[in-house]
Amino acid sequence: MVTASSPADPDTHSVVTDDSGGFLRTDLPPGTYAVRCEKDGYQPFERHGIELRANGFLTIEVQLSPGSAET
């Protein structure tokens, strides 16, 4: 699961990735986002300060570490 949130947007935007971890979200307004990636059995990954411009396309490299948030 990938979740994008922005201080300028009260909604969070979540999407489930495909088998290779890819996803496409075309309805995000331009702005600054935080992205959180989660998968059972792995520690969550977060990145803040991601700038999305109008008609922009971003690729974010994510590497999840085995384990859970509790370990």
Side-chain angles (χ1 to χ4, degrees):
M1 170 84 59
V2 177
T3 304
S5 60
S6 172
D9 185 351
D11 296 325
T12 58
H13 305 273
S14 297
V15 64
V16 176
T17 65
D18 62 21
D19 290 339
S20 67
F23 67 94
L24 179 63
R25 189 77 197 236
T26 59
D27 61 341
L28 294 177
T32 303
Y33 286 86
V35 173
R36 180 178 175 91
C37 304
E38 300 174 88
K39 181 170 176 58
D40 288 343
Y42 292 85
Q43 294 180 23
F45 171 90
E46 286 190 48
R47 183 172 295 161
H48 299 268
I50 298 171
E51 292 289 330
L52 179 61
R53 295 195 169 117
N55 301 316
F57 181 85
L58 294 174
T59 300
I60 301 170
E61 295 291 326
V62 174
Q63 184 171 353
L64 297 179
S65 300
S68 66
E70 294 82 31
T71 60

